[in-house]
Amino acid sequence: MNRAKKHSKILLDYLQNFVEVAKEEESSLTTQLIIDESSGSYLVLTYGWTAERFLHFVVFHFAIKEDGKIW
């Protein structure tokens, strides 16, 4: 397994676990994992309504470059 694929698997496992825990902790907000494997981009978004206010923010944004480095 090359370095980029190895890092992709590790990062994906971590982010999936994070999203599962976030969903259990906060029921009024939605946490979503968005993946674009062709560009190596991984994004975790949280959004929803709390106290009459809409929240929308990026929790994590990672990119895995061709050499396997995570940015």
Side-chain angles (χ1 to χ4, degrees):
M1 180 181 297
N2 70 21
R3 187 175 176 182
K5 286 185 181 182
K6 180 180 175 184
H7 286 170
S8 175
K9 170 112 175 73
I10 293 168
L11 185 58
L12 184 58
D13 289 343
Y14 174 78
L15 294 176
Q16 286 175 331
N17 185 45
F18 177 87
V19 169
E20 288 176 22
V21 171
K23 286 180 179 180
E24 293 173 5
E25 290 181 0
E26 184 58 58
S27 62
S28 65
L29 297 176
T30 301
T31 301
Q32 184 177 11
L33 174 60
I34 301 169
I35 302 165
D36 180 9
E37 291 181 355
S38 64
S39 68
S41 294
Y42 299 81
L43 180 70
V44 176
L45 290 176
T46 297
Y47 57 92
W49 288 95
T50 62
E52 299 180 13
R53 183 175 177 184
F54 185 76
L55 298 175
H56 181 261
F57 54 94
V58 175
V59 180
F60 292 111
H61 181 213
F62 294 102
I64 299 179
K65 301 298 180 179
E66 292 180 12
D67 61 1
K69 292 182 180 179
I70 299 174
W71 290 33

